[in-house]
Amino acid sequence: MSEAPMKLVVVGAAGRMGQTLIRTIAAMDGVMLHAAVERSGSPFVGKDAGEIAGLGPTGVIIGDDPLAAFLHGEGVLDFTSPAATVNFAGLAAQARIVHVVGTTGCSVEEEEKIKAAGRHARVVKSGNMSLGVNLLGVLTEQAARALPGNDWDIEILEMHHKHKVDAPSGTALLLGEAAARGRGIDLANHSVRSRDGHTGARPKGAIGFATLRGGSVIGEHSVLIAGEGEIVTLSHSAGDRSIFARGAISAALWARDKKPGFYSMLDVLGLTR
Ligand code: NAD
């Protein structure tokens, strides 16, 4: 295929995922780093993106004007914060390009605004961009369907590094949604997000969440389905952030020739039924 490399913009370029994206773009075929953006006032604005990511100079200088970067780019890779992502979604729609969103912790209103950008942009959003977690979601849905809520209790346990600001993780919620789909219930009305004190017995059919934070853990997730005398455990361990970066870049390449719309990693990976 002789198509020119896809021109990608990394927003949040100096963050943990931003740096990983810059290194992964350099290592993958079919893509190039077109621009790198940080928030205004960041000490990294004006620095070479490659040097920040530990690659050595690339000639791409980190800027703070996202629209200028988007207008000449083809896709945005966005692992930042909910407020920043809502703003980027509007700009990606103006520029009519691909917007890959990995940011987690969005409210229902923020989610709606990002979805609305899909009228003009090609938005791919997922709480986890790795192949393994998306497969785990499919397996969770199947298991939840096969093991009925009258007899089997679903608990989702996750652990992340101490800097993470949202809980439960986007991945835990993705797995909870998958379990709720399998059970044919609405997650918002059937979840227990925390427990403390005299909580009473576990509500039948509920999907429970438990959150651990500490150290440098990249992401550990387990779905425990507990019945009388047995527990089925499905789990995923992230050993390296590059699994998310490779997924995000594959999503951008997949969306390059798609119609405007709001897509998930299940669409990208062909895991939809
Ligand atoms: P981080 O704090 O290390 O990086 C975020 C970066 O975004 C920072 O450098 C910050 O300065 C920058 N930023 C914030 N507002 C900005 C703005 N308006 N313009 C430009 N840059 C801005 O965080 P992280 O660990 O890289 O995670 C970022 C997000 O990605 C979190 O929501 C996290 O949960 C999520 N995440 C998702 C996946 C996935 O697969 N979906 C994987 C890992 C992390």
Side-chain angles (χ1 to χ4, degrees), residues 13-15 19 22-23 43-44 47-56 62:
Q19 293 182 38
I22 290 165
R23 289 193 294 272
F44 298 103
K47 303 252 160 75
D48 188 291
E51 284 194 335
I52 297 304
L55 285 177
I62 298 179

Side-chain angles (χ1 to χ4, degrees), residues 4-270:
M6 185 173 185
K7 294 195 278 179
L8 297 177
V9 179
V10 174
V11 291
R16 279 176 286 268
M17 276 305 300
Q19 293 182 38
T20 310
L21 286 161
I22 290 165
R23 289 193 294 272
T24 310
I25 289 170
M28 273 175 79
D29 289 333
V31 286
M32 60 174 285
L33 181 66
H34 169 69
V37 176
E38 258 297 337
R39 61 183 163 74
S40 301
S42 159
F44 298 103
V45 171
K47 303 252 160 75
D48 188 291
E51 284 194 335
I52 297 304
L55 285 177
T58 52
V60 176
I61 303 302
I62 298 179
D64 62 359
D65 181 354
L67 185 57
F70 293 10
L71 284 175
H72 299 287
E74 294 177 82
V76 181
L77 305 177
D78 178 357
F79 291 69
T80 57
S81 70
T85 292
V86 167
N87 180 41
F88 294 142
L91 301 179
Q94 267 185 57
R96 290 179 156 61
I97 58 175
V98 171
H99 187 196
V100 177
V101 180
T103 306
T104 60
C106 296
S107 66
V108 174
E109 294 74 31
E110 287 162 340
E111 198 79 33
E112 285 308 314
K113 287 181 187 157
I114 298 165
K115 273 194 182 139
R119 285 200 287 271
H120 298 298
R122 284 149 276 155
V123 182
V124 183
K125 183 171 186 298
S126 176
N128 194 301
M129 298 279 171
S130 80
L131 172 59
V133 159
N134 283 282
L135 178 63
L136 185 66
V138 173
L139 298 174
T140 298
E141 182 176 341
Q142 283 176 359
R145 188 174 296 119
L147 303 171
N150 266 350
D151 300 320
W152 295 82
D153 302 323
I154 301 181
E155 292 283 312
I156 298 172
L157 174 65
E158 57 113 333
M159 180 161 187
H160 281 86
H161 56 88
K162 61 186 168 195
H163 303 290
K164 185 161 179 63
V165 293
D166 54 315
S169 70
T171 305
L173 292 171
L174 176 160
L175 295 170
E177 290 289 355
R181 260 197 316 280
R183 287 271 166 91
I185 57 174
D186 174 35
L187 182 65
N189 296 322
H190 291 87
S191 58
V192 176
R193 301 273 289 249
S194 62
R195 297 185 179 101
D196 186 27
H198 187 86
T199 60
R202 188 184 199 285
K204 204 165 248 197
I207 296 174
F209 290 86
T211 301
L212 310 180
R213 292 285 177 265
S216 57
V217 177
I218 293 176
E220 299 285 322
H221 292 88
S222 295
V223 180
L224 295 101
I225 311 179
E228 277 310 315
E230 56 182 333
I231 299 180
V232 176
T233 306
L234 301 169
S235 67
H236 181 268
S237 238
D240 189 321
R241 286 190 174 82
S242 66
I243 61 173
F244 312 126
R246 282 198 303 273
I249 294 164
S250 304
L253 284 166
W254 174 88
R256 196 177 191 186
D257 63 359
K258 296 291 176 294
K259 290 208 257 310
F262 185 80
Y263 302 97
S264 80
M265 277 310 276
L266 295 178
D267 299 309
V268 175
L269 297 168

